[in-house]
Amino acid sequence: MNRKDIINDPDHGNKAEAFEAFDDIPTNPNLNRTIGDVINRRYGRRDMLKGVLGVAATTALFGTSAMVAPKRAAASADASRYKFDELTWGNDTEHHIADGYNADVLLRWGDPITADAPEFDVMNQTAEAQLKQFGYNNDYVGFTALNDEGTRGLLCVNHEYTNEEVMFPGLGRQDRAGFEGMTEELVNIEMAAHGGSVVEIAQGEDGKWSLVRDSQYNRRITPLNTEMTIDGPAAGHARMQTNADPEGMTVIGTVNNCAGGMTPWGTYLMAEENFHGYFWTDKVDAEGKPDVTGMEEAMAKRNGRYGVPGMWYAWGKYHDRWNIDKEPNEPNRWGWIVEVDPRNPDAAPIKHTALGRFRHEGAETTVSKDGHLVVYSGDDNRFDYQYKYVSGGTINDDTAVFGSSLFSDGTLYVARFDEDGTVEWMPLVHGEGPLTAENGFNDQGDVMIDTRMAADLLGATPMDRPEDAQPGPNGTAYLMLTNNTRRQPDQVNAANPRPESSFGHIIEIKEDGEDHAATKGTWSILVKCGDPTIEEVGAQWNPETSESGWFGSPDNCAIDADGRLWISTDQGSSWGKTGKSDGLYGLETAGDLRGHSKLFFRCPVGGELCGPYFHDSGETLFLAVQHPGTDGTKDFRGFERDSTFEDPATRWPDFDPAMPPRPSVVVVTKEGGGKIAI
Ligand code: FEO
Ligand code: CA
Ligand code: CA
């Protein structure tokens, strides 16, 4: 499969988006170009220049009239609940935080995390070493305290995927068709760098956090060697059985763990997102595309709906389970929510099939008014859906445990957003409505394995890539719709109102009765992202939002200890569709400043911002800078380049000429202590 085929593949994800960005600076300037992209490009050049020269120099070049004057009414902006001096936007090789705050690197890819782990040796990597070192591309970050003060605890971190071109010397960007140079040893290192990490951290008298390297809790969870069990309606199902697991009850590992969640009882949920990208076939047609000739029709249809096989990685060349020719049922065992007990390193993680199978972005939890567990999870694909799971039982001493029945007995719902501003949560239950054998659903296991197809039949609303979904106070939930450049004008709906949306939007849900378990609610658009000064973009912000405050492509989000919403962005390319780096923003949800956004932190070039996660105290914020220095086919200075191990766009955070960029977790605290942004 060549790159053009990949970018034309309707299925996508971060990695695919990176390829899209790669090919979006083409010799043919109209390739996949959208109105939004044209606007971005025009605007972006000025921004790139300004990012390098700085505001003062740009003002000298263009005169003040060229600057976009923020419409600011001091009294109103002063009423912001986010008490910090806004950071100025930009895009350069370092990370930046608002004045008065520390942003310290806590854990970097390759850092030894167990007492017996070898020191990181980037020129002599091995899978064995990587299994004891911090993984690649940190995404979700969660924390569960080990003492009453919360000064000791377990940090739970997802490692979503790998970027070979900046991980390994001498490779360059890998061609999906050939994977030149991807040996079995390199593939195994990649597998060992995926998954998750659980590490104990402790806060010193000086307020700084550090790794407790000899902690008994420290471990890696990987697709190379971590055995997991399966529960829920699809456990043991005939379509879950493989040669290695004839019972359909166990699986080795987890992949593409994007966002996630912590349960109210302190276990760690890892979402399996772009699992399709890891599957391989030896059967390709003359154009290099997967050839499904001879595949049973129903299986070809199901695989097609999920984008299997994606062939993003060479793993299937060396491991039969990633090759669908050899293990046709294996893809059914991925795309689930995985629960990990961080307090018991010996406990096998569990894939909970009652929460459905799709490209789960995350799994944020809350508790309904009468004590049910509620989990919000988006399916991050263009035109896919928003889901919510509600447990059958309620939380009590018996159920607030790892492997709880609350995760195996419950109802998965998919959202339909109606024009009148109501949202209906429709249950995915076998035998109800069209979910019958006539339509290919023989049991609830089929409904869960083929969640997307079940949701299609129920008439769910096709969204602009549902990323993180965060339940908030009083029955609210915030949905990050990151972008969808392929939505045509005749495909818009009230909840996804912009065609060719490059910048995405955020929806606020208010569940009926302020109860997260409600099956009905109302919805509204909190912001439409992008530059508010360019009319064609169609952005919607509170008018007090400054030039630094607006953003594009919301991805992750968090609610802090004071109920305030924070948004992190992923624009999918180092040059940034907006010309700005990705970052963290405080976004007002209520009052006169509803829709007002302020920039608090920004990433080094090429990095997207993940996490964010607030410590219960509100005094520590964990952030994850993912893939710094990558996707650099067009760098922030406007020069075309391929970021590689040898020549990355930045060497953050070490700035050592012998070290490539390293995805890292960053800890934010207030200088002198105290709550963040209060
Ligand atoms: Fe892994 Fe949807 O971001
Ligand atoms: Ca994400
Ligand atoms: Ca992302």
Side-chain angles (χ1 to χ4, degrees):
M1 192 185 282
N2 62 37
R3 288 200 181 95
K4 189 164 181 292
D5 293 324
I6 291 167
I7 61 172
N8 289 331
D9 182 349
D11 300 299
H12 72 289
N14 277 3
K15 192 102 179 170
E17 188 148 14
F19 274 91
E20 197 168 356
F22 182 87
D23 274 305
D24 204 25
I25 314 295
T27 48
N28 170 3
N30 292 320
L31 179 67
N32 276 357
R33 192 61 59 85
T34 67
I35 291 169
D37 288 335
V38 172
I39 293 166
N40 306 339
R41 198 65 37 77
R42 175 162 59 82
Y43 182 64
R45 271 195 287 273
R46 192 196 75 193
D47 285 349
M48 286 173 200
L49 187 59
K50 195 160 67 175
V52 172
L53 298 179
V55 172
T58 315
T59 305
L61 271 178
F62 294 101
T64 49
S65 63
M67 302 293 290
V68 180
K71 299 169 204 156
R72 189 182 290 276
S76 187
D78 285 350
S80 169
R81 293 193 299 155
Y82 301 82
K83 302 295 183 192
F84 61 88
D85 293 333
E86 184 170 19
L87 189 60
T88 302
W89 68 270
N91 195 356
D92 57 48
T93 58
E94 301 187 39
H95 70 275
H96 299 269
I97 185 82
D99 279 351
Y101 290 86
N102 306 299
D104 302 320
V105 174
L106 175 66
L107 286 161
R108 302 161 296 180
W109 163 53
D111 280 351
I113 62 162
T114 60
D116 62 345
E119 292 300 315
F120 187 46
D121 182 349
V122 74
M123 298 304 287
N124 296 287
Q125 299 176 52
T126 67
E128 186 183 20
Q130 179 65 80
L131 287 170
K132 297 175 178 178
Q133 295 165 338
F134 198 61
Y136 205 79
N137 271 348
N138 32 220
D139 198 301
Y140 180 75
V141 182
F143 177 87
T144 180
L146 290 173
N147 62 2
D148 289 344
E149 301 76 29
T151 54
R152 278 182 59 226
L154 301 176
L155 201 69
C156 304
V157 183
N158 282 353
H159 302 293
E160 186 182 15
Y161 67 104
T162 47
N163 294 86
E164 308 89 348
E165 74 277 15
V166 286
M167 278 182 79
F168 305 124
L171 275 184
R173 186 176 283 267
Q174 289 295 286
D175 187 316
R176 301 298 99 176
F179 295 101
E180 295 295 325
M182 284 308 293
T183 62
E184 184 170 6
E185 176 62 9
L186 292 183
V187 161
N188 288 347
I189 295 167
E190 280 194 301
M191 291 174 73
H194 275 67
S197 294
V198 176
V199 292
E200 183 176 341
I201 58 173
Q203 190 173 28
E205 294 290 320
D206 59 358
K208 300 285 187 185
W209 291 86
S210 59
L211 171 71
V212 182
R213 186 165 157 188
D214 59 358
S215 168
Q216 59 174 318
Y217 300 109
N218 295 357
R219 67 160 154 162
R220 288 294 321 286
I221 295 148
T222 78
L224 190 62
N225 69 351
T226 305
E227 186 162 310
M228 307 195 166
T229 61
I230 301 168
D231 79 359
H237 197 281
R239 294 173 58 203
M240 299 288 275
Q241 297 166 2
T242 64
N243 286 313
D245 174 28
E247 303 296 319
M249 293 298 290
T250 60
V251 58
I252 305 296
T254 180
V255 290
N256 212 268
N257 305 97
C258 194
M262 300 299 289
T263 64
W265 50 91
T267 60
Y268 158 38
L269 302 177
M270 308 171 75
E272 296 186 330
E273 195 189 26
N274 294 303
F275 65 94
H276 65 294
Y278 297 80
F279 287 95
W280 180 271
T281 180
D282 294 318
K283 298 174 185 171
V284 291
D285 63 19
E287 296 178 334
K289 293 180 180 173
D291 182 358
V292 296
T293 308
M295 187 183 289
E296 189 226 338
E297 189 181 338
M299 180 173 285
K301 197 172 153 194
R302 289 167 177 141
N303 282 346
R305 183 66 179 86
Y306 279 88
V308 170
M311 299 178 77
W312 293 359
Y313 290 91
W315 300 8
K317 290 172 76 169
Y318 304 110
H319 296 272
D320 285 355
R321 64 195 174 111
W322 302 110
N323 185 331
I324 63 166
D325 309 334
K326 295 172 179 167
E327 288 290 357
N329 278 346
E330 190 67 45
N332 295 335
R333 295 146 60 82
W334 306 79
W336 304 106
I337 294 296
V338 179
E339 186 186 17
V340 175
D341 185 354
R343 287 176 175 73
N344 183 357
D346 297 325
I350 304 168
K351 294 201 180 191
H352 290 307
T353 66
L355 281 74
R357 174 174 168 264
F358 47 91
R359 294 184 201 163
H360 282 280
E361 167 70 26
E364 294 285 5
T365 68
T366 189
V367 182
S368 75
K369 279 195 163 173
D370 57 357
H372 294 272
L373 176 72
V374 180
V375 186
Y376 287 82
S377 190
D379 183 352
D380 182 5
N381 192 38
R382 294 180 179 93
F383 304 109
D384 257 292
Y385 309 130
Q386 179 64 47
Y387 296 87
K388 176 172 86 171
Y389 172 84
V390 182
S391 66
T394 54
I395 298 173
N396 56 47
D397 286 349
D398 294 329
T399 58
V401 293
F402 173 66
S404 171
S405 60
L406 299 179
F407 276 121
S408 53
D409 170 24
T411 303
L412 182 67
Y413 298 87
V414 66
R416 192 188 69 224
F417 295 86
D418 290 328
E419 303 268 334
D420 64 359
T422 60
V423 55
E424 170 113 13
W425 294 101
M426 303 180 292
L428 294 154
V429 177
H430 178 254
E432 289 190 11
L435 305 183
T436 61
E438 277 180 345
N439 290 316
F441 300 99
N442 292 311
D443 49 40
Q444 186 65 14
D446 278 338
V447 174
M448 293 294 98
I449 293 170
D450 296 324
T451 299
R452 281 184 168 182
M453 298 164 85
D456 291 342
L457 289 177
L458 293 185
T461 301
M463 309 297 285
D464 287 346
R465 294 187 53 197
E467 297 258 23
D468 206 359
Q470 183 71 49
N474 307 320
T476 57
Y478 296 91
L479 314 182
M480 307 298 112
L481 289 313
T482 195
N483 57 60
N484 182 354
T485 52
R486 297 208 180 112
R487 188 182 292 277
Q488 297 304 304
D490 62 354
Q491 294 175 308
V492 299
N493 56 55
N496 299 272
R498 286 189 292 182
E500 299 185 345
S501 171
S502 289
F503 307 106
H505 58 289
I506 296 175
I507 287 179
E508 179 186 62
I509 287 179
K510 292 184 174 175
E511 304 284 20
D512 278 1
E514 299 188 353
D515 185 357
H516 282 109
T519 55
K520 275 189 178 4
T522 58
W523 65 270
S524 60
I525 292 180
L526 176 57
V527 289
K528 294 178 194 165
C529 306
D531 187 340
T533 67
I534 300 178
E535 192 178 343
E536 302 97 302
V537 169
Q540 170 196 315
W541 298 98
N542 185 292
E544 303 309 319
T545 302
S546 77
E547 188 179 2
S548 291
W550 65 262
F551 56 80
S553 299
D555 186 344
N556 299 112
C557 55
I559 304 276
D560 68 16
D562 291 278
R564 299 171 303 175
L565 179 64
W566 298 76
I567 310 290
S568 68
T569 63
D570 171 17
Q571 300 168 87
S573 62
S574 67
W575 44 275
K577 289 176 179 175
T578 60
K580 300 176 168 186
S581 66
D582 283 316
L584 183 72
Y585 300 80
L587 180 61
E588 300 274 5
T589 56
D592 290 344
L593 280 177
R594 178 176 159 92
H596 180 259
S597 172
K598 282 176 75 174
L599 175 61
F600 184 60
F601 175 92
R602 58 183 170 89
C603 285
V605 61
E608 73 168 270
L609 189 62
C610 302
Y613 192 91
F614 282 89
H615 189 280
D616 283 348
S617 66
E619 297 186 2
T620 297
L621 164 64
F622 299 103
L623 302 174
V625 174
Q626 193 185 75
H627 58 74
T630 60
D631 304 350
T633 52
K634 183 110 174 173
D635 78 3
F636 65 96
R637 292 160 294 203
F639 300 126
E640 290 192 26
R641 59 182 293 158
D642 278 323
S643 260
T644 60
F645 181 96
E646 290 76 15
D647 183 25
T650 179
R651 293 185 185 277
W652 186 90
D654 302 309
F655 299 103
D656 174 345
M659 190 65 82
R662 300 167 79 182
S664 301
V665 170
V666 171
V667 183
V668 175
T669 51
K670 200 177 206 169
E671 288 173 4
K675 277 188 171 182
I676 288 166
I678 293 289

